[in-house]
Amino acid sequence: QVQLVESGGGLVQPGGSLRLSCAASGKIFSINAMNWYRQAPGKERELVASSGGNTKYADSVKGRFTISRDNAKNTVYLQMNSLKPEDTAVYYCNAGVVVIGTAWVSNYWGQGTQVTVSS
C-alpha cells in the first residue's frame, strides 16, 4: 500500500559528504514522523534522526547530519557531512503513515541503502 524508496548511498572517503533521499508513495493520506535508522554489521539497528514534532538526532551524529523533509513530495532527506568510518552502515528510511481508508498510523520501512566510509 505504501512504498519507501531510498537513494543516495555509496562509498565516500572520511570527511566527505553524502545526501540520502527517501520518497514515500502509494495510498498515503498523511505522514507523521519520517526517520532515518542505520544498522552496522553485528550491531542493532539504531535511530539516527527523526523528523516528527521535534527533530532529534543520535548523539553520535549531532552537528554533522541534518534531516529535512519536503512534505509536498513526501520525501525525507539526510544530509551527512564530516563522515567517519564508524558511520558505515545500511541506512533505512522509516515512516508513520495514515493509509487512505484507515484511521491509524502504520509503520513502513524502506529497503535500505549502503553507506561506506573508507579511504
Side-chain angles (χ1 to χ4, degrees), residues 11-118:
L11 173 64
V12 64
Q13 291 186 345
S17 298
L18 282 176
R19 188 191 194 210
L20 305 183
S21 301
C22 171
S25 63
K27 298 181 179 180
I28 299 170
F29 177 76
S30 64
I31 301 178
N32 292 358
M34 295 188 81
N35 312 305
W36 287 98
Y37 285 76
R38 69 185 180 188
Q39 188 166 19
K43 295 187 176 181
E44 294 186 352
R45 191 172 296 189
E46 64 171 348
L47 177 65
V48 175
S50 175
S51 176
N54 297 308
T55 300
K56 299 179 182 178
Y57 296 94
D59 288 343
S60 59
V61 307
K62 283 181 181 177
R64 300 188 297 120
F65 290 11
T66 302
I67 189 171
S68 61
R69 284 174 66 169
D70 184 335
N71 291 326
K73 295 181 179 180
N74 290 332
T75 298
V76 64
Y77 305 95
L78 185 68
Q79 178 66 44
M80 305 185 294
N81 299 327
S82 301
L83 283 160
K84 304 175 181 180
E86 50 264 43
D87 295 317
T88 295
V90 178
Y91 284 71
Y92 296 92
C93 176
N94 165 261
V97 179
V98 178
V99 175
I100 292 173
T102 72
W104 56 87
V105 179
S106 299
N107 198 33
Y108 289 91
W109 291 89
Q111 80 286 355
T113 184
Q114 176 71 46
V115 171
T116 302
V117 184
S118 175

